[in-house]
Amino acid sequence: MEQGVIDVGSLAGGIDLQATVESGQSYLWNREDGEMYQRDGATGGGAWYWTTIQRDGSPAVIRVRQRDGVLEWESTVDAETALRRLLRLDDDLDAIRATAPDDDVVQSAYETFWGMRLVQDPPFGALISFICSAQMRVARIHSMQQALRDAFGEEIEFGGRTYNAYPTPSALAETTEERLRDLGLGYRAPYVQRTAEMVATGEAHPEEAVGLSYEDARESLTRFVGVGDKVADCVLLFSLDYLEAVPLDTWIRTTIEEYYPECERGNYADTSRAIRAALGGEYAGYTQTYLFHYLRTGSNEE
């Protein structure tokens, strides 16, 4: 077993691990106690969380918790570098916040969940999980991903427990729409199966968007079945390092209606450009994520 600690005080802006992984931006992390996404306004807890990555063609487990001013991690591999990437620990939160608009709702969101970072999930898992996100509550999206792990993921023995890796593209490509429907994916089942097939056969990869201009990258991702502009923006923001992306989901459209009505332009592309500018441009996706978590949990009504 590999182990280590990361001093929270060494991170620019610190970290709130619970807010980071339970804020609706990732469905690829899990709580050891099984209570993921069961608390609104989740922040500041010390639970163990785990996820899996691929390392040299084999799956690996990473466990992490926050306590006593450190992030404490355990893994089947030396995982500090991976953990820094997955939780974006090298981002300077103070500098990012400085780019956000100085209005009440934004600043309240930052104050309430300060230390929340964006995730950088593996691209395939991010792509599939956000295809599953349409018209679903965050807890249900998360449970779908766990069902996929249990049904199709390789087992990993670690620390006296058995974990399941996130399924490979081939594993999901080789299953059937009926089997995916049985797992509760509903109408999303054929989207997941066909998208996995596209990746498994080399027809398309989400990483091909990297390096393109932001809007071209979004267009690249819409090649996948079940991926429209909003899902594409989620993958860009929470996996592919496009921190300016602002997914126009229900909560952000509500934010636009209530706080930034001048940004509503009648179509996705133009509204996206306007709200990205209003939320600070380069790091608009960070501010969007704070707003999403703040409004979704009702913290602004406390």
Side-chain angles (χ1 to χ4, degrees):
M1 177 188 292
E2 300 280 350
Q3 297 175 299
V5 295
I6 299 171
D7 179 9
V8 170
S10 71
L11 307 176
I15 185 172
D16 184 329
L17 177 63
Q18 183 177 12
T20 298
V21 297
E22 292 197 58
S23 54
Q25 53 172 316
S26 175
Y27 305 102
L28 304 184
W29 286 86
N30 298 269
R31 283 175 63 128
E32 286 279 330
D33 60 12
E35 296 186 2
M36 192 77 170
Y37 283 121
Q38 293 188 18
R39 295 173 177 82
D40 285 344
T43 183
W48 279 104
Y49 293 91
W50 66 271
T51 192
T52 58
I53 60 171
Q54 290 290 322
R55 175 72 61 84
D56 299 326
S58 299
V61 176
I62 300 175
R63 290 173 15 114
V64 62
R65 67 176 171 180
Q66 181 173 357
R67 66 170 187 167
D68 301 329
V70 299
L71 288 179
E72 178 183 355
W73 63 265
E74 304 174 345
S75 180
T76 51
V77 297
D78 186 352
E80 181 167 335
T81 298
L83 193 60
R84 284 185 173 275
R85 181 184 70 254
L86 292 168
L87 299 176
R88 302 194 65 97
L89 298 183
D90 296 325
D91 288 356
D92 185 337
L93 294 186
D94 294 303
I96 289 168
R97 182 175 179 175
T99 69
D102 188 22
D103 57 46
D104 289 345
V105 67
V106 167
Q107 295 306 319
S108 293
Y110 271 108
E111 287 295 332
T112 302
F113 295 111
W114 183 243
M116 182 175 72
R117 291 173 176 267
L118 293 191
V119 298
Q120 191 167 357
D121 280 339
F124 179 69
L127 179 63
I128 295 300
S129 62
F130 282 106
I131 288 174
C132 292
S133 70
Q135 299 178 333
M136 280 287 169
R137 295 176 61 85
V138 292
R140 183 72 185 95
I141 303 163
H142 181 263
S143 68
M144 284 183 183
Q145 306 320 298
Q146 191 57 44
L148 292 176
R149 284 185 185 274
D150 293 342
F152 305 110
E154 183 177 343
E155 292 186 349
I156 313 164
E157 299 296 328
F158 175 62
R161 284 193 54 183
T162 300
Y163 297 84
N164 289 83
Y166 198 78
T168 64
S170 295
L172 292 182
E174 292 167 2
T175 191
T176 64
E177 177 183 334
E178 181 180 11
R179 179 76 175 102
L180 292 172
R181 286 185 182 275
D182 287 344
L183 294 176
L185 270 67
Y187 70 85
R188 305 158 195 83
Y191 304 161
V192 167
Q193 194 279 330
R194 175 63 183 126
T195 288
E197 184 178 60
M198 292 172 71
V199 177
T201 61
E203 180 180 343
H205 293 278
E207 298 94 325
E208 291 169 348
V210 176
L212 299 176
S213 67
Y214 164 65
E215 293 193 5
D216 286 345
R218 185 170 63 198
E219 182 66 22
S220 173
L221 290 175
T222 61
R223 293 176 297 166
F224 294 99
V225 181
V227 176
D229 289 334
K230 180 258 185 177
V231 168
D233 270 337
C234 289
V235 178
L236 291 175
L237 180 59
F238 302 127
S239 179
L240 299 182
D241 203 32
Y242 284 79
L243 301 186
E244 68 268 48
V246 176
L248 299 184
D249 57 25
T250 299
W251 296 105
I252 297 307
R253 288 191 178 278
T254 297
T255 302
I256 292 170
E257 181 179 347
E258 294 185 7
Y259 300 101
Y260 306 99
E262 72 280 1
C263 292
E264 177 54 61
R265 303 297 170 84
N267 62 76
Y268 194 102
D270 291 339
T271 301
S272 172
R273 292 187 195 104
I275 192 61
R276 292 199 314 272
L279 295 183
E282 181 181 4
Y283 298 111
Y286 247 104
T287 296
Q288 176 269 341
T289 303
Y290 272 85
L291 285 171
F292 172 87
H293 194 36
Y294 182 66
L295 295 172
R296 184 182 66 84
T297 57
S299 296
N300 61 322
E301 298 174 358
E302 292 179 354

